[in-house]
Amino acid sequence: MAGMTSNATRVLLGVRGMTRDAGTSVAAALTALPGVSRATPDEGQIEVHYDPSQLTVMDLVRAVRTQGFLAGML
C-alpha cells in the first residue's frame, strides 16, 4: 500500500466536551496513528480522513478516548 489516495475515507466524530483548543491535542493523537492522513477539529467534533484497510472507526474512537473524551460517529 503506497499511500492513501484512493482508499481514504472520511468520518465525522462527535467528541463530548471537546473545545477547539483541546481538539488540537486530539487531532495530534489521531494523526499519529498509521493510516490517518488528516484530522480537523472543531467545537465538539473532529473530521478524520483515514485508510479503512488499516483502521476501523472504533480504532479512531479509542484514540480519542485516550485523550480523555467520549466520542462517537455522527
Side-chain angles (χ1 to χ4, degrees), residues 1 3 7 9 11 13 17 24-25 28 33 37-38 41 46-48 51-52 54 57 61 70 72-73:
M1 214 170 307
N7 292 338
T9 297
V11 67
L13 299 177
T24 304
S25 62
L33 296 173
S37 61
R38 183 172 28 157
I46 191 160
E47 178 182 350
V48 185
D51 183 346
Q54 294 182 20
V57 172
V61 168
L70 294 176
M73 209 165 100

Side-chain angles (χ1 to χ4, degrees), residues 3-5 10-11 14-15 17 21 24 28-29 34-35 38 43-44 47 49 53 56 58 72:
M4 298 199 21
T5 53
R10 174 193 167 273
V11 67
V15 185
D21 290 338
T24 304
R38 183 172 28 157
E43 190 86 18
E47 178 182 350
H49 294 257
S53 70
T56 66
M58 277 310 299

Side-chain angles (χ1 to χ4, degrees), residues 8-9 11 18-20 23 26-27 30-32 38 40 42-43 46 50 52 58-60 64 70-71:
T9 297
V11 67
M18 184 183 76
T19 62
R20 284 187 187 197
V26 173
L30 287 165
T31 55
R38 183 172 28 157
T40 308
D42 200 354
E43 190 86 18
I46 191 160
Y50 71 103
M58 277 310 299
D59 293 326
L60 303 175
V64 172
L70 294 176

